[in-house]
Amino acid sequence: MKPLKNIFQPILVALLAVFLSSCSLLQTQSNANLKLPADINKLKSWTVRGKVLIKTDTENVSGYFYWHKDLETNQFSLNAFIGINILSLTTENGISTLEFGGSVYQDTNPTRLIQTVTGLDLPIENLEFWVRGQLTGTEKHIVRNSTNIKQFIQINKQQKWQVKYSKYQKQNIYHLPMAISLTGKNTKLKLSVSSWEFLL
């Protein structure tokens, strides 16, 4: 006779699988039934994930990016394909905290903080808008089609950026960028989005 453990273990595994599947289905249905605001800028919380490639005159960085924004915090991280964290940036109450190379740094300007500590030129404050296909109001030579922005140029004191969108996809009620490229003086950045998540 088989031990009771051997008899009930497959049953417990099956019940657990059914339970997890039901939870996943309920979560999917809940997200699908969210009454999101027509203006994506009015969302209280959003999360975007994908792949990133950064090329400079001296190095190439590739891996995954994660970005979460809500009313209290703004979290951005880069991770290598093998799972090692490259950098993590958290902005809260006007203070940006960067974890890089085993040390922690702070500044009131996240773009300046990343550039000073890592040497990477990432326009993180503007990219928060650009990753959603939104403009900051400082862009020029904007090219659009009937529904979306295709490309534009932004010039500031430190850098000139040319931003191009090669792919959009409908995510819930929004048409959002899925492939974005930024070209600066010494930096090229490519984002390939894999998923979007929204909360009211």
Side-chain angles (χ1 to χ4, degrees), residues 3 14 18 20 25 41 54 63-64 67 73 77 94 103-106 116-117 131 137 142 163 173-174 178 185 198:
V18 171
L20 293 175
L25 178 60
N41 290 313
I54 305 171
Y64 299 101
W67 204 333
T73 60
S77 65
S103 299
V104 178
Y105 309 86
Q106 288 188 324
T116 301
V117 174
V131 74
I142 302 168
V163 181
I173 65 172
Y174 308 114
M178 302 300 288
K185 182 179 180 181
F198 313 105

Side-chain angles (χ1 to χ4, degrees), residues 30 43 47 106:
S30 176
L43 276 174
T47 302
Q106 288 188 324

Side-chain angles (χ1 to χ4, degrees), residues 52-198:
V52 61
L53 173 64
I54 305 171
K55 290 185 177 183
T56 70
D57 292 340
T58 57
E59 61 182 327
N60 292 342
V61 178
S62 60
Y64 299 101
F65 75 91
Y66 167 88
W67 204 333
H68 173 78
K69 175 79 161 48
D70 58 39
L71 290 178
E72 297 180 352
T73 60
N74 193 335
Q75 299 174 309
F76 177 82
S77 65
L78 296 178
N79 294 280
F81 288 127
I82 58 176
I84 299 175
N85 179 257
I86 299 172
L87 64 85
S88 294
L89 176 74
T90 301
T91 301
E92 189 173 13
N93 297 323
I95 301 297
S96 294
T97 302
L98 177 67
E99 297 179 30
F100 178 77
S103 299
V104 178
Y105 309 86
Q106 288 188 324
D107 196 339
T108 55
N109 185 309
T111 300
R112 180 177 60 204
L113 178 61
I114 291 177
Q115 186 173 29
T116 301
V117 174
T118 72
L120 295 175
D121 191 0
L122 298 180
I124 201 75
E125 293 164 293
N126 292 329
L127 195 56
E128 178 185 329
F129 291 87
W130 297 345
V131 74
R132 293 173 289 148
Q134 306 296 304
L135 299 175
T136 66
T138 60
E139 296 82 1
K140 298 180 178 180
H141 307 294
I142 302 168
V143 178
R144 306 173 184 262
N145 60 17
S146 58
T147 56
N148 302 312
I149 297 170
K150 299 297 291 182
Q151 66 180 48
F152 57 80
I153 293 174
Q154 193 233 34
I155 303 173
N156 56 45
K157 294 180 181 179
Q158 292 77 33
Q159 182 66 280
K160 172 183 177 181
W161 291 104
Q162 182 177 30
V163 181
K164 294 184 178 181
Y165 299 89
S166 56
K167 181 181 179 182
Y168 280 81
Q169 185 172 304
K170 189 172 184 180
Q171 302 287 324
N172 205 299
I173 65 172
Y174 308 114
H175 285 274
L176 291 171
M178 302 300 288
I180 312 165
S181 65
L182 287 74
T183 302
K185 182 179 180 181
N186 301 308
T187 304
K188 292 184 178 180
L189 171 66
K190 290 186 177 181
L191 298 177
S192 178
V193 175
S194 59
S195 68
W196 282 94
E197 296 175 16
F198 313 105

